[in-house]
Amino acid sequence: MTFERDLGLKLKQYMSFLAAAAVCCFISVSALAYPASGDSLKVDIRALKAKTDLLMKSYRFSDAVEVFLKAEDNADSTSRAEIDRLMAQAQNGESMTGFCCSPVVVARQRFPLKDFFLYYPLGDGVWRSVPNQLDKKADEKVSATFVPEDADVLYWSSEDQEGIRNIYRSEYQDTIWSAPGLLSEQMTSDDNEIYPMLSPDGSQLFFASKGLYGMGGYDLYVADWDYELNDWGLPVNMGFPFSSPYNDYLFINTDDGQYSIFASDRNSPADSVDIYVLEYDSMPVRKAIDSPEEIEKLCRLDPAGDAGHIHSDGDSGKGLGENDEIRHYAEMLGNVRNIRESIASFSRSMDECRNRLADAPDSLKASLSAEILSMEAALPVLQDSLLRQTRAIQQLEMSFLRSGVVIDPESLQRETEREVVGSDSGFRFTRHRMGPSFSFEMKSPEPEFDYSFQILPEGRFALDNTLPDGLVYQIQLFALSSKATVKQIKGLSPVFERRGKTGKYVYSAGLFKSYKDVLSNLNKVKRAGFRDAIIVAFLDGSPVTVTKARTLEKSMRELFIVRIFPADGNSLNDKELAIVKVATEADMSRSLEDGVVSYIIGPVDGRDEAERIAATLKISGIGNLRVESAGMKIANED
């Protein structure tokens, strides 16, 4: 046992040395990440990402940003947008180094990715297998939904029509659950949000996202409940050491107020995660850390008093009875599993090193080749250890048979996994049982009315006949003394109803922003059976002639704004304010609407200019923003 533990520790230290050496080799990456000065070549995004991932995952964000900037200078237009997106993650990481905290780590334990959530102190039966009524499709990160028996509010993650995971909410209302509803716009990104979990008092919502302001992979976020707005406030990235360039998810605070717990693959193989148990701190002190080595050390989250050692053995024999031989047998099973995982991880590391060797310049190939040879020499030691452990298990099983003792390895393994805890950590990881399948009555979501012009098998009247402000064109169909029927509108949607000056009901189809758009649909309406259909126009809800509307259309330009939501929900910091000043000369003002603080840049002339400003801000690390219409137009200059 001692030999295996020492071997594992030495192997982990050796792998850390190799990773550090590889990072040093790739700090000078100019020849690999972008073409020589003056060349105009399409950047290999996959190769660039592989190289900058190494820097990001070593917390060398400034080095990664430098690589991206040089690659961008030599990239063609098709590559530049993706480079900007990736560079924003590096800049986000660089920015978040100014807000680090140092929690006390109680324990750290590795579990399979497929069921790690069962080891959280949440009790039996609260996790339900996917697919289920709420979540129709499992993926590599999400294979269960948190559905406690006594819950009256549920939060869960599920794919939308585009295959992106969003967070939904439903509450129990008398005898039925409300229709699933998306959370606010600020908590819904263009990528996945997973594992939403409420704090014990319900005042905070923790979740993981790949699409919000982050540094790559899944980051952890927290949103506070706004009692005045009666909704969740802006989500805030929890920063180092909770978030990292790896995948971090499923954060909870325990009901007893003692611990904060989350999972991450930052130090584990691809099929596993480590669960970190931290002392709960309601007001963590945050500080800036400039050294990548210090941030990397912080994010390792080594348990206090036992730095660098993962409790992978644990008291796995507890609960197996008083027979010492059976407990020893269970420990040996656990050792074999851990050695196999180590061999698999070691093999993947060698493959990664070989891949780097293929792309490396001649000056680095000698050192990388030496590293590969060293790793290949160490692998047989692990394989020999696995062989000896397997033989020892077989001999012990034969001894049990001679003694008349029948062992069920699968049953024993399940009992072994029931309790897995570092013997000196003071925290017990207990494997809980999955809950049964479930089915409850839930209201169906009311479909949102689609106001885009369509010709359907059955026509639809507009739910709201109020016309939007600004200039709008419609196609007038007919006027009747009595209300029209669905049959009479012949599949057109949406059809608006208004009362004319003579008291008749006037029906018009569609909402069109330009004369070109309405004209392109006029013949479609005539072919549908409305041969007398004509184009009509409205300005701020009042009728105007089509001639006047076309004149106005040519003389008006729409204004736009860029709205920024501060990361802390209150204000932009000095660095962010400086970024805004560099990005644009447009005015900026602070806004408080319905309890939500935002900063408004503009108005600026046209969507293109607003999008340009937004892209510049995102590249510089300000990611929580959106482009909006300013709700006004200005006349074109002669």
Side-chain angles (χ1 to χ4, degrees):
M1 294 288 292
T2 301
F3 169 76
E4 303 299 347
R5 187 180 294 111
D6 290 345
L7 175 64
L9 180 57
K10 290 178 180 178
L11 179 61
K12 187 173 291 296
Q13 292 171 341
Y14 181 67
M15 290 299 295
S16 298
F17 167 77
L18 291 182
V23 168
C24 291
C25 291
F26 277 90
I27 289 177
S28 179
V29 291
S30 58
L32 303 175
Y34 45 84
S37 177
D39 291 346
S40 179
L41 302 175
K42 184 174 182 179
V43 174
D44 187 337
I45 295 296
R46 292 181 62 183
L48 177 66
K49 188 176 187 304
K51 295 168 178 60
T52 51
D53 271 353
L54 185 62
L55 294 171
M56 293 276 288
K57 291 180 177 179
S58 300
Y59 302 89
R60 300 179 179 275
F61 302 110
S62 298
D63 293 335
V65 170
E66 181 180 351
V67 171
F68 283 124
L69 288 172
K70 292 181 178 179
E72 187 179 49
D73 288 342
N74 294 275
D76 58 17
S77 57
T78 59
S79 302
R80 191 167 292 115
E82 180 63 11
I83 293 173
D84 289 346
R85 186 186 69 82
L86 294 171
M87 181 165 59
Q89 296 176 350
Q91 292 170 324
N92 293 344
E94 189 177 28
S95 176
M96 283 189 278
T97 60
F99 307 93
C100 305
C101 65
S102 302
V104 176
V105 185
V106 174
R108 180 177 66 186
Q109 179 68 41
R110 183 164 299 166
F111 297 103
L113 178 60
K114 63 182 180 180
D115 62 1
F116 74 97
F117 43 82
L118 293 178
Y119 295 88
Y120 276 60
L122 297 168
D124 287 326
V126 298
W127 290 100
R128 318 301 179 97
S129 295
V130 175
N132 57 50
Q133 183 178 348
L134 302 177
D135 189 355
K136 304 301 183 185
K137 183 181 177 182
D139 59 35
E140 61 176 0
K141 293 290 186 291
V142 181
S143 57
T145 307
F146 184 66
V147 185
E149 287 282 357
D150 58 350
D152 56 8
V153 178
L154 295 177
Y155 289 87
W156 72 95
S157 173
S158 182
E159 286 189 355
D160 62 15
Q161 293 180 345
E162 297 179 354
I164 296 174
R165 283 189 169 273
N166 297 313
I167 298 176
Y168 296 85
R169 179 184 185 275
S170 177
E171 60 181 83
Y172 192 67
Q173 299 173 340
D174 296 330
T175 59
I176 191 171
W177 288 86
S178 64
L182 276 173
L183 301 190
S184 65
E185 180 182 2
Q186 289 75 35
M187 300 176 72
T188 303
S189 72
D190 59 358
D191 212 323
N192 295 334
E193 277 78 48
I194 61 175
Y195 287 122
M197 300 294 289
L198 281 175
S199 63
D201 63 0
S203 66
Q204 293 181 306
L205 182 67
F206 302 96
F207 65 98
S209 174
K210 289 183 71 175
L212 295 177
Y213 175 87
M215 63 192 93
Y218 284 96
D219 279 21
L220 287 168
Y221 298 81
V222 58
D224 294 321
W225 183 256
D226 189 322
Y227 290 95
E228 292 185 4
L229 188 61
N230 198 35
D231 198 359
W232 292 108
L234 292 172
V236 177
N237 192 309
M238 296 180 68
F240 299 118
F242 305 103
S243 295
S244 74
Y246 297 82
N247 293 304
D248 312 291
Y249 28 74
L250 193 49
F251 182 98
I252 69 166
N253 290 321
T254 57
D255 289 345
D256 59 14
Q258 294 188 59
Y259 303 112
S260 297
I261 302 175
F262 75 98
S264 176
D265 63 7
R266 64 185 67 174
N267 294 310
S268 61
D271 59 352
S272 305
V273 294
D274 289 340
I275 296 180
Y276 297 87
V277 182
L278 319 173
E279 286 187 1
Y280 174 72
D281 186 355
S282 62
M283 298 184 65
V285 176
R286 298 191 177 273
K287 61 179 181 180
I289 299 180
D290 297 327
S291 166
E293 292 78 14
E294 286 298 313
I295 296 179
E296 185 173 17
K297 179 180 178 181
L298 172 68
C299 290
R300 283 203 304 268
L301 291 172
D302 294 326
D306 192 15
H309 177 62
I310 296 179
H311 299 299
S312 56
D313 298 334
D315 297 337
S316 56
K318 289 187 177 181
L320 301 175
E322 297 300 323
N323 190 310
D324 290 339
E325 287 187 329
I326 293 179
R327 283 200 296 272
H328 178 54
Y329 178 72
E331 290 173 352
M332 293 172 71
L333 287 176
N335 281 341
V336 167
R337 184 178 67 251
N338 292 332
I339 295 172
R340 284 174 176 163
E341 289 179 355
S342 297
I343 290 175
S345 176
F346 204 61
S347 298
R348 284 191 293 270
S349 298
M350 284 196 297
D351 289 341
E352 292 174 1
C353 202
R354 290 189 182 104
N355 292 334
R356 292 199 301 271
L357 177 62
D359 296 331
D362 293 340
S363 59
L364 297 180
K365 285 186 176 179
S367 61
L368 287 174
S369 297
E371 291 171 10
I372 294 172
L373 289 174
S374 298
M375 295 169 74
E376 289 175 341
L379 186 58
V381 178
L382 279 174
Q383 294 170 332
D384 180 67
S385 174
L386 177 61
L387 179 62
R388 289 188 290 107
Q389 284 285 319
T390 303
R391 288 174 176 172
I393 287 176
Q394 293 171 345
Q395 292 173 0
L396 192 53
E397 288 174 343
M398 292 299 296
S399 175
F400 285 141
L401 288 174
R402 287 193 294 268
S403 303
V405 178
V406 178
I407 295 294
D408 181 356
E410 291 185 2
S411 176
L412 187 61
Q413 187 68 46
R414 287 194 297 270
E415 187 61 30
T416 299
E417 292 176 348
R418 178 66 179 175
E419 294 180 356
V420 213
V421 57
S423 57
D424 59 350
S425 72
F427 185 90
R428 181 179 296 274
F429 289 96
T430 301
R431 179 183 171 86
H432 296 283
R433 296 181 178 88
M434 288 288 288
S437 59
F438 63 94
S439 177
F440 42 67
E441 189 175 0
M442 178 176 284
K443 292 181 180 179
S444 298
E446 295 182 3
E448 293 185 7
F449 192 88
D450 187 354
Y451 280 90
S452 61
F453 177 70
Q454 303 172 77
I455 300 179
L456 306 171
E458 182 176 82
R460 296 184 304 179
F461 291 99
L463 294 182
D464 184 355
N465 287 294
T466 304
L467 297 180
D469 290 339
L471 185 62
V472 175
Y473 295 93
Q474 290 190 303
I475 300 175
Q476 185 171 304
L477 307 175
F478 49 69
L480 299 175
S481 300
S482 59
K483 285 181 174 289
T485 64
V486 170
K487 185 177 181 180
Q488 287 175 299
I489 62 176
K490 300 180 180 181
L492 299 187
S493 175
V495 173
F496 291 77
E497 175 189 284
R498 61 185 176 86
R499 297 297 289 267
K501 294 181 179 180
T502 62
K504 288 188 175 183
Y505 295 94
V506 180
Y507 292 91
S508 302
L511 291 172
F512 305 96
K513 290 292 186 180
S514 70
Y515 180 75
K516 181 180 179 181
D517 193 10
V518 69
L519 184 61
S520 67
N521 285 281
L522 178 61
N523 282 336
K524 295 178 184 178
V525 172
K526 289 186 175 183
R527 285 195 297 269
F530 301 95
R531 295 187 177 182
D532 295 328
I534 61 172
I535 296 173
V536 293
F538 299 86
L539 180 63
D540 296 332
S542 300
V544 295
T545 65
V546 173
T547 301
K548 181 177 180 180
R550 295 183 67 183
T551 302
L552 288 171
E553 184 183 340
K554 292 179 179 179
S555 65
M556 302 293 284
R557 302 195 314 277
E558 190 172 5
L559 300 182
F560 289 83
I561 62 171
V562 178
R563 189 184 297 271
I564 304 173
F565 298 93
D568 63 1
N570 294 313
S571 60
L572 299 177
N573 58 43
D574 291 341
K575 179 180 178 180
E576 291 167 330
L577 291 172
I579 290 172
V580 172
K581 290 181 179 179
V582 172
T584 178
E585 296 181 354
D587 294 335
M588 183 172 69
S589 59
R590 189 173 186 270
S591 171
L592 179 61
E593 300 177 10
D594 297 326
V596 177
V597 175
S598 63
Y599 284 77
I600 297 174
I601 299 175
V604 297
D605 189 357
R607 179 179 289 276
D608 288 346
E609 174 62 11
E611 294 284 4
R612 184 199 66 77
I613 295 172
T616 303
L617 296 177
K618 287 180 180 179
I619 292 171
S620 303
I622 301 179
N624 200 4
L625 53 79
R626 65 173 182 242
V627 173
E628 301 176 2
S629 170
M632 64 181 75
K633 294 185 178 182
I634 60 174
N636 287 320
E637 296 179 1
D638 293 333

mmCIF file of all heavy atoms in Angstrom, residues 548-567:
data_model
loop_
_atom_site.group_PDB
_atom_site.id
_atom_site.type_symbol
_atom_site.label_atom_id
_atom_site.label_comp_id
_atom_site.label_asym_id
_atom_site.label_seq_id
_atom_site.Cartn_x
_atom_site.Cartn_y
_atom_site.Cartn_z
ATOM 1 N N LYS A 548 -45.539 59.953 -48.484
ATOM 2 C CA LYS A 548 -44.871 60.609 -47.359
ATOM 3 C C LYS A 548 -43.998 59.614 -46.589
ATOM 4 O O LYS A 548 -42.882 59.959 -46.157
ATOM 5 C CB LYS A 548 -45.910 61.221 -46.424
ATOM 6 C CG LYS A 548 -45.290 61.948 -45.237
ATOM 7 C CD LYS A 548 -46.336 62.618 -44.363
ATOM 8 C CE LYS A 548 -45.679 63.339 -43.185
ATOM 9 N NZ LYS A 548 -46.691 64.000 -42.313
ATOM 10 N N ALA A 549 -44.505 58.396 -46.412
ATOM 11 C CA ALA A 549 -43.732 57.384 -45.687
ATOM 12 C C ALA A 549 -42.425 57.081 -46.408
ATOM 13 O O ALA A 549 -41.362 56.971 -45.774
ATOM 14 C CB ALA A 549 -44.568 56.113 -45.533
ATOM 15 N N ARG A 550 -42.479 56.963 -47.728
ATOM 16 C CA ARG A 550 -41.265 56.669 -48.479
ATOM 17 C C ARG A 550 -40.273 57.825 -48.401
ATOM 18 O O ARG A 550 -39.054 57.622 -48.336
ATOM 19 C CB ARG A 550 -41.616 56.353 -49.928
ATOM 20 C CG ARG A 550 -42.445 55.090 -50.092
ATOM 21 C CD ARG A 550 -42.718 54.778 -51.544
ATOM 22 N NE ARG A 550 -41.483 54.429 -52.249
ATOM 23 C CZ ARG A 550 -41.416 54.169 -53.546
ATOM 24 N NH1 ARG A 550 -42.528 54.258 -54.292
ATOM 25 N NH2 ARG A 550 -40.275 53.863 -54.125
ATOM 26 N N THR A 551 -40.793 59.050 -48.390
ATOM 27 C CA THR A 551 -39.922 60.218 -48.243
ATOM 28 C C THR A 551 -39.259 60.219 -46.877
ATOM 29 O O THR A 551 -38.053 60.481 -46.743
ATOM 30 C CB THR A 551 -40.734 61.510 -48.443
ATOM 31 O OG1 THR A 551 -41.346 61.489 -49.740
ATOM 32 C CG2 THR A 551 -39.839 62.731 -48.314
ATOM 33 N N LEU A 552 -40.071 59.943 -45.831
ATOM 34 C CA LEU A 552 -39.523 59.881 -44.475
ATOM 35 C C LEU A 552 -38.483 58.771 -44.348
ATOM 36 O O LEU A 552 -37.443 58.932 -43.691
ATOM 37 C CB LEU A 552 -40.655 59.651 -43.468
ATOM 38 C CG LEU A 552 -41.588 60.823 -43.201
ATOM 39 C CD1 LEU A 552 -42.776 60.381 -42.358
ATOM 40 C CD2 LEU A 552 -40.823 61.948 -42.484
ATOM 41 N N GLU A 553 -38.778 57.640 -44.956
ATOM 42 C CA GLU A 553 -37.867 56.488 -44.859
ATOM 43 C C GLU A 553 -36.490 56.837 -45.408
ATOM 44 O O GLU A 553 -35.459 56.439 -44.855
ATOM 45 C CB GLU A 553 -38.461 55.307 -45.632
ATOM 46 C CG GLU A 553 -37.643 54.035 -45.530
ATOM 47 C CD GLU A 553 -38.226 52.911 -46.359
ATOM 48 O OE1 GLU A 553 -39.432 52.968 -46.697
ATOM 49 O OE2 GLU A 553 -37.473 51.963 -46.686
ATOM 50 N N LYS A 554 -36.449 57.594 -46.503
ATOM 51 C CA LYS A 554 -35.180 57.964 -47.107
ATOM 52 C C LYS A 554 -34.421 58.993 -46.281
ATOM 53 O O LYS A 554 -33.207 59.133 -46.418
ATOM 54 C CB LYS A 554 -35.409 58.515 -48.516
ATOM 55 C CG LYS A 554 -35.909 57.473 -49.509
ATOM 56 C CD LYS A 554 -36.142 58.090 -50.873
ATOM 57 C CE LYS A 554 -36.621 57.069 -51.889
ATOM 58 N NZ LYS A 554 -36.870 57.647 -53.226
ATOM 59 N N SER A 555 -35.133 59.728 -45.456
ATOM 60 C CA SER A 555 -34.496 60.826 -44.714
ATOM 61 C C SER A 555 -34.199 60.483 -43.258
ATOM 62 O O SER A 555 -33.747 61.334 -42.505
ATOM 63 C CB SER A 555 -35.409 62.067 -44.747
ATOM 64 O OG SER A 555 -36.621 61.816 -44.048
ATOM 65 N N MET A 556 -34.437 59.230 -42.847
ATOM 66 C CA MET A 556 -34.271 58.870 -41.435
ATOM 67 C C MET A 556 -33.216 57.778 -41.264
ATOM 68 O O MET A 556 -33.096 56.870 -42.085
ATOM 69 C CB MET A 556 -35.597 58.366 -40.855
ATOM 70 C CG MET A 556 -36.757 59.345 -40.955
ATOM 71 S SD MET A 556 -36.550 60.816 -39.928
ATOM 72 C CE MET A 556 -36.929 60.149 -38.321
ATOM 73 N N ARG A 557 -32.451 57.909 -40.216
ATOM 74 C CA ARG A 557 -31.495 56.877 -39.827
ATOM 75 C C ARG A 557 -31.750 56.512 -38.371
ATOM 76 O O ARG A 557 -31.961 57.389 -37.525
ATOM 77 C CB ARG A 557 -30.054 57.381 -39.968
ATOM 78 C CG ARG A 557 -29.687 57.842 -41.356
ATOM 79 C CD ARG A 557 -28.174 57.983 -41.526
ATOM 80 N NE ARG A 557 -27.525 58.682 -40.438
ATOM 81 C CZ ARG A 557 -27.451 60.016 -40.340
ATOM 82 N NH1 ARG A 557 -28.031 60.782 -41.252
ATOM 83 N NH2 ARG A 557 -26.806 60.568 -39.336
ATOM 84 N N GLU A 558 -31.694 55.218 -38.073
ATOM 85 C CA GLU A 558 -31.963 54.762 -36.701
ATOM 86 C C GLU A 558 -30.705 54.882 -35.851
ATOM 87 O O GLU A 558 -29.584 54.598 -36.295
ATOM 88 C CB GLU A 558 -32.445 53.305 -36.720
ATOM 89 C CG GLU A 558 -32.964 52.835 -35.366
ATOM 90 C CD GLU A 558 -33.613 51.460 -35.442
ATOM 91 O OE1 GLU A 558 -33.574 50.852 -36.532
ATOM 92 O OE2 GLU A 558 -34.153 51.005 -34.414
ATOM 93 N N LEU A 559 -30.899 55.299 -34.592
ATOM 94 C CA LEU A 559 -29.802 55.411 -33.633
ATOM 95 C C LEU A 559 -29.784 54.189 -32.715
ATOM 96 O O LEU A 559 -30.818 53.602 -32.399
ATOM 97 C CB LEU A 559 -29.942 56.686 -32.807
ATOM 98 C CG LEU A 559 -29.928 57.998 -33.582
ATOM 99 C CD1 LEU A 559 -30.038 59.179 -32.633
ATOM 100 C CD2 LEU A 559 -28.665 58.126 -34.437
ATOM 101 N N PHE A 560 -28.582 53.836 -32.242
ATOM 102 C CA PHE A 560 -28.408 52.669 -31.375
ATOM 103 C C PHE A 560 -27.552 53.037 -30.166
ATOM 104 O O PHE A 560 -26.834 54.038 -30.170
ATOM 105 C CB PHE A 560 -27.753 51.513 -32.140
ATOM 106 C CG PHE A 560 -28.650 50.872 -33.151
ATOM 107 C CD1 PHE A 560 -28.796 51.434 -34.419
ATOM 108 C CD2 PHE A 560 -29.358 49.725 -32.834
ATOM 109 C CE1 PHE A 560 -29.626 50.855 -35.355
ATOM 110 C CE2 PHE A 560 -30.194 49.145 -33.770
ATOM 111 C CZ PHE A 560 -30.337 49.703 -35.029
ATOM 112 N N ILE A 561 -27.652 52.199 -29.126
ATOM 113 C CA ILE A 561 -26.828 52.367 -27.927
ATOM 114 C C ILE A 561 -26.161 51.032 -27.602
ATOM 115 O O ILE A 561 -26.599 49.975 -28.051
ATOM 116 C CB ILE A 561 -27.657 52.828 -26.707
ATOM 117 C CG1 ILE A 561 -28.722 51.778 -26.354
ATOM 118 C CG2 ILE A 561 -28.282 54.183 -26.952
ATOM 119 C CD1 ILE A 561 -29.441 52.058 -25.043
ATOM 120 N N VAL A 562 -25.078 51.112 -26.839
ATOM 121 C CA VAL A 562 -24.440 49.928 -26.266
ATOM 122 C C VAL A 562 -24.661 49.988 -24.754
ATOM 123 O O VAL A 562 -24.272 50.968 -24.109
ATOM 124 C CB VAL A 562 -22.937 49.875 -26.586
ATOM 125 C CG1 VAL A 562 -22.300 48.643 -25.937
ATOM 126 C CG2 VAL A 562 -22.710 49.870 -28.089
ATOM 127 N N ARG A 563 -25.309 48.966 -24.213
ATOM 128 C CA ARG A 563 -25.608 48.941 -22.778
ATOM 129 C C ARG A 563 -24.668 47.950 -22.086
ATOM 130 O O ARG A 563 -24.610 46.769 -22.449
ATOM 131 C CB ARG A 563 -27.059 48.551 -22.526
ATOM 132 C CG ARG A 563 -27.494 48.705 -21.067
ATOM 133 C CD ARG A 563 -28.926 48.210 -20.862
ATOM 134 N NE ARG A 563 -29.876 48.995 -21.627
ATOM 135 C CZ ARG A 563 -30.459 50.094 -21.165
ATOM 136 N NH1 ARG A 563 -30.162 50.547 -19.955
ATOM 137 N NH2 ARG A 563 -31.340 50.743 -21.917
ATOM 138 N N ILE A 564 -23.928 48.413 -21.074
ATOM 139 C CA ILE A 564 -22.982 47.586 -20.326
ATOM 140 C C ILE A 564 -23.554 47.315 -18.927
ATOM 141 O O ILE A 564 -23.997 48.242 -18.243
ATOM 142 C CB ILE A 564 -21.612 48.280 -20.172
ATOM 143 C CG1 ILE A 564 -21.036 48.650 -21.543
ATOM 144 C CG2 ILE A 564 -20.638 47.392 -19.414
ATOM 145 C CD1 ILE A 564 -19.769 49.472 -21.462
ATOM 146 N N PHE A 565 -23.512 46.045 -18.521
ATOM 147 C CA PHE A 565 -23.938 45.666 -17.172
ATOM 148 C C PHE A 565 -22.696 45.386 -16.329
ATOM 149 O O PHE A 565 -21.937 44.463 -16.634
ATOM 150 C CB PHE A 565 -24.836 44.440 -17.213
ATOM 151 C CG PHE A 565 -26.113 44.653 -17.976
ATOM 152 C CD1 PHE A 565 -26.195 44.327 -19.328
ATOM 153 C CD2 PHE A 565 -27.229 45.196 -17.359
ATOM 154 C CE1 PHE A 565 -27.362 44.530 -20.045
ATOM 155 C CE2 PHE A 565 -28.400 45.406 -18.064
ATOM 156 C CZ PHE A 565 -28.474 45.073 -19.403
ATOM 157 N N PRO A 566 -22.432 46.191 -15.291
ATOM 158 C CA PRO A 566 -21.220 46.002 -14.475
ATOM 159 C C PRO A 566 -21.160 44.599 -13.886
ATOM 160 O O PRO A 566 -22.180 44.024 -13.502
ATOM 161 C CB PRO A 566 -21.352 47.069 -13.381
ATOM 162 C CG PRO A 566 -22.338 48.054 -13.907
ATOM 163 C CD PRO A 566 -23.272 47.294 -14.788
ATOM 164 N N ALA A 567 -19.943 44.045 -13.793
ATOM 165 C CA ALA A 567 -19.770 42.695 -13.268
ATOM 166 C C ALA A 567 -20.225 42.583 -11.822
ATOM 167 O O ALA A 567 -20.762 41.559 -11.401
ATOM 168 C CB ALA A 567 -18.303 42.275 -13.397
#
